[in-house]
Amino acid sequence: MDRLDSQFEFIREIDGLKKISRQTYLSDGSRKENDTEHSWHLALMAVLLSEYANENVDLLRVITMVLVHDIVELDAGDTYAYDDAGNATKREREVAAADRIFNILPADQAKYLRNLWDEFEEDSTPEARFAHTLDHVQPVMLNDASGAKAWKEHAIKLSQVLKRNSSTAKGSEKLWEYTYNNFIEPNVKTGSIEKDIDYKLK
């Protein structure tokens, strides 16, 4: 298979991401978003919000990272952030998926995208930290916009939301502060998120 054949095979393969549903509802609550919608949303958020990153970031690297970070869910499926059992096997399932899917590409592009995926997973660079912030902020924003629909369905507690967002400020303190004040705290006050612990922003 020549280079262009491999590239188009990969492009066709990842079209399947349009069928991978997430637990987060669209802002109007009409249905759940899919992986491609989520990744596109993060990419545009990166363009608009990179000025709030704690550190200088390579914007193209962040955009590419968020576009590929969930490609593994083509094989591994979406694991809900608050599904403890699913998260226990998530890493193993996703590594196996990465081994298969990225290697459809020519070797140089397979290595480039796989390295970006690994970088995101390791959360060890300014770009990865900011990409994680976006990945955490976006579903919180949509949960708020949809009337806390998914939070209510799963009876989510404040301790769970805070645990999920324990590293969100590492990429952007400003975006974490905004997210907590505008999307989380109001839902705690209305009871859409159960207040099982006391918390104040530092």
Side-chain angles (χ1 to χ4, degrees), residues 73 100 139 152 180 202:
E73 293 185 0
R100 183 189 77 79
K152 290 175 182 176
Y180 183 79
K202 296 178 182 178

PDB file of all heavy atoms in Angstrom, residues 73 100 139 152 180 202:
ATOM      1  N   GLU A  73     -10.879   5.587  21.122  1.00  0.00           N
ATOM      2  CA  GLU A  73     -12.225   5.154  21.510  1.00  0.00           C
ATOM      3  C   GLU A  73     -12.956   4.465  20.366  1.00  0.00           C
ATOM      4  O   GLU A  73     -14.001   3.856  20.575  1.00  0.00           O
ATOM      5  CB  GLU A  73     -13.022   6.346  22.060  1.00  0.00           C
ATOM      6  CG  GLU A  73     -12.435   6.838  23.374  1.00  0.00           C
ATOM      7  CD  GLU A  73     -13.241   7.941  24.041  1.00  0.00           C
ATOM      8  OE1 GLU A  73     -14.294   8.341  23.486  1.00  0.00           O
ATOM      9  OE2 GLU A  73     -12.810   8.411  25.111  1.00  0.00           O
ATOM     10  N   ARG A 100      -3.094  -0.334  17.215  1.00  0.00           N
ATOM     11  CA  ARG A 100      -3.702  -0.708  15.936  1.00  0.00           C
ATOM     12  C   ARG A 100      -3.982   0.499  15.051  1.00  0.00           C
ATOM     13  O   ARG A 100      -3.562   0.543  13.891  1.00  0.00           O
ATOM     14  CB  ARG A 100      -5.020  -1.464  16.156  1.00  0.00           C
ATOM     15  CG  ARG A 100      -5.651  -1.930  14.826  1.00  0.00           C
ATOM     16  CD  ARG A 100      -7.045  -2.468  15.004  1.00  0.00           C
ATOM     17  NE  ARG A 100      -8.066  -1.438  15.176  1.00  0.00           N
ATOM     18  CZ  ARG A 100      -8.602  -0.726  14.170  1.00  0.00           C
ATOM     19  NH1 ARG A 100      -8.197  -0.910  12.921  1.00  0.00           N
ATOM     20  NH2 ARG A 100      -9.547   0.169  14.415  1.00  0.00           N
ATOM     21  N   PRO A 139     -16.914  19.342  28.981  1.00  0.00           N
ATOM     22  CA  PRO A 139     -18.104  18.623  29.441  1.00  0.00           C
ATOM     23  C   PRO A 139     -18.774  19.278  30.644  1.00  0.00           C
ATOM     24  O   PRO A 139     -20.001  19.184  30.795  1.00  0.00           O
ATOM     25  CB  PRO A 139     -17.584  17.224  29.777  1.00  0.00           C
ATOM     26  CG  PRO A 139     -16.123  17.354  29.910  1.00  0.00           C
ATOM     27  CD  PRO A 139     -15.713  18.491  29.032  1.00  0.00           C
ATOM     28  N   LYS A 152     -27.495  14.803  36.701  1.00  0.00           N
ATOM     29  CA  LYS A 152     -28.692  14.335  37.409  1.00  0.00           C
ATOM     30  C   LYS A 152     -28.944  12.853  37.140  1.00  0.00           C
ATOM     31  O   LYS A 152     -29.296  12.099  38.050  1.00  0.00           O
ATOM     32  CB  LYS A 152     -29.903  15.162  36.994  1.00  0.00           C
ATOM     33  CG  LYS A 152     -29.887  16.601  37.487  1.00  0.00           C
ATOM     34  CD  LYS A 152     -31.077  17.378  36.928  1.00  0.00           C
ATOM     35  CE  LYS A 152     -31.073  18.828  37.355  1.00  0.00           C
ATOM     36  NZ  LYS A 152     -32.185  19.597  36.729  1.00  0.00           N
ATOM     37  N   TYR A 180     -15.337  26.616  37.760  1.00  0.00           N
ATOM     38  CA  TYR A 180     -15.919  26.334  39.070  1.00  0.00           C
ATOM     39  C   TYR A 180     -16.983  27.375  39.427  1.00  0.00           C
ATOM     40  O   TYR A 180     -18.102  27.022  39.834  1.00  0.00           O
ATOM     41  CB  TYR A 180     -14.848  26.296  40.159  1.00  0.00           C
ATOM     42  CG  TYR A 180     -15.466  25.942  41.492  1.00  0.00           C
ATOM     43  CD1 TYR A 180     -15.779  24.625  41.803  1.00  0.00           C
ATOM     44  CD2 TYR A 180     -15.806  26.939  42.409  1.00  0.00           C
ATOM     45  CE1 TYR A 180     -16.411  24.295  42.991  1.00  0.00           C
ATOM     46  CE2 TYR A 180     -16.432  26.619  43.604  1.00  0.00           C
ATOM     47  CZ  TYR A 180     -16.729  25.294  43.890  1.00  0.00           C
ATOM     48  OH  TYR A 180     -17.374  24.975  45.061  1.00  0.00           O
ATOM     49  N   LYS A 202      -8.971  27.984  46.034  1.00  0.00           N
ATOM     50  CA  LYS A 202      -7.792  28.515  46.739  1.00  0.00           C
ATOM     51  C   LYS A 202      -7.455  29.896  46.212  1.00  0.00           C
ATOM     52  O   LYS A 202      -7.628  30.187  45.059  1.00  0.00           O
ATOM     53  CB  LYS A 202      -6.601  27.559  46.550  1.00  0.00           C
ATOM     54  CG  LYS A 202      -6.845  26.199  47.190  1.00  0.00           C
ATOM     55  CD  LYS A 202      -5.681  25.267  46.940  1.00  0.00           C
ATOM     56  CE  LYS A 202      -5.930  23.895  47.536  1.00  0.00           C
ATOM     57  NZ  LYS A 202      -4.831  22.940  47.258  1.00  0.00           N
TER      58      LYS A 202
END
